[in-house]
Amino acid sequence: MSRIGGLFEALRARGEVALVPYFTAGDPDLATTRELVRAAFAEGADAIELGVPFSDPMADGPVLQRSAARALAAGTTLPRLLELVGDIRAEFPQPPHVLFGYYNPYFRYGVEALARDAAAAGADGVLCVDLPPEEASELRAATRAQDLDLIALLAPTTPPARIRTIARTASGFLYFVSVLGVTGARRALPAELPEWVRRVRAATSMPVGVGFGVSQPEQAGWVAGFADAVIVGSALARLLEEGDAAGAPARVAAFLAGLRRAMSAASAVRTG
């Protein structure tokens, strides 16, 4: 069993939900990213997603677009990102690490080389935003050969038959996009979200994480009442823009601590 599968199995046995922060690697530089990851794990993050910066992040809103642009301007490359993964893995041997990116950087690197080098660095999974399952056979074969999970996205509009198709070709967990549109903090999440997640659960037993839009403790607590993971990204990138880089880890830590408290309270209600 992969680290990702083991994490969700352990959390489910305890009646808990995973907190998964997303950081664009290299925003504003790789050294700061490492400090952000440290802060996240100190505040109870269960896994991390490291974004591979890309010049055309079509699924991302303005906040993560700016985050990727800052990372690229700082000279972040996929080889340097994998070096960071290795450093983080040496310091934090247990929590899962997921690479989150678009297909162009993976393709240019070479999917077999990517899977080999990511596994060697200590990554546990790969998520490719813009690669449909019908076109993912090469990446799927490469990741399976290295025992990496290939995580897939689901949308509110994904019909049950396609949910089953996607779930059969994915592993680790399913990432459910909570809104129609791009990433970005929302004042409110769709009221239909619990029903959408129930529809996924009716089609597969894979864990379901919810992301895109979570930006407040109340939202994280609500999602923790029906999902297996709460994923937060744009709200963290926005914190980087609100002050100097030196203070970013403390701002991120305080924010994640609030999410964790709300999620723990919701989990207690769900299992009580």
Side-chain angles (χ1 to χ4, degrees):
M1 179 181 295
S2 69
R3 285 192 190 95
I4 294 173
L7 169 68
F8 282 107
E9 186 175 89
L11 290 175
R12 185 171 292 176
R14 300 198 301 265
E16 298 175 3
V17 174
L19 173 59
V20 184
Y22 166 97
F23 300 108
T24 303
D27 176 24
D29 52 59
L30 289 169
T32 300
T33 302
R34 184 169 181 173
E35 293 303 316
L36 295 174
V37 170
R38 284 174 171 160
F41 285 142
E43 294 301 334
D46 297 289
I48 56 165
E49 290 182 346
L50 289 174
V52 180
F54 179 48
S55 59
D56 300 283
M58 66 187 72
D60 291 310
V63 172
L64 287 185
Q65 288 179 19
R66 293 194 297 269
S67 180
R70 289 191 297 268
L72 291 171
T76 305
T77 62
L78 193 43
R80 293 187 66 201
L81 189 162
L82 293 175
E83 290 178 9
L84 175 66
V85 171
D87 292 342
I88 295 172
R89 173 57 65 205
E91 187 172 356
F92 300 97
Q94 294 303 320
H97 304 355
V98 175
L99 300 182
F100 186 116
Y102 293 82
Y103 191 58
N104 183 279
Y106 297 164
F107 177 77
R108 289 183 62 85
Y109 193 94
V111 293
E112 291 184 358
L114 170 71
R116 180 195 65 229
D117 294 349
D124 302 288
V126 174
L127 188 152
C128 190
V129 179
D130 55 347
L131 190 65
E134 293 83 1
E135 300 177 21
S137 58
E138 186 177 359
L139 181 59
R140 188 180 308 119
T143 52
R144 284 180 177 174
Q146 299 294 335
D147 295 323
L148 291 171
D149 284 319
L150 183 59
I151 296 151
L153 293 170
L154 297 173
T157 53
T158 307
R162 185 154 181 82
I163 291 173
R164 289 190 291 270
T165 296
I166 293 171
R168 283 195 298 267
T169 61
S171 61
F173 69 94
L174 295 170
Y175 188 129
F176 190 87
V177 176
S178 68
V179 294
L180 292 174
V182 296
T183 61
R186 263 72 170 184
R187 292 183 178 179
L189 297 176
E192 302 88 350
L193 189 52
E195 178 56 36
W196 293 340
V197 172
R198 281 193 288 270
R199 185 178 65 193
V200 176
R201 294 198 187 282
T204 176
S205 61
M206 289 184 66
V208 182
V210 171
F212 282 44
V214 177
S215 63
Q216 302 167 25
E218 295 79 9
Q219 294 171 337
W222 181 56
V223 172
F226 53 83
D228 296 298
V230 175
I231 305 165
V232 58
S234 292
L236 298 176
R238 190 173 57 191
L239 289 174
L240 289 174
E241 299 181 332
E242 292 179 350
D244 64 324
R251 296 193 298 273
V252 165
F255 177 77
L256 291 177
L259 298 189
R260 172 54 77 192
R261 286 192 295 271
M263 292 170 58
S264 296
S267 296
V269 171
R270 186 167 73 169
T271 60

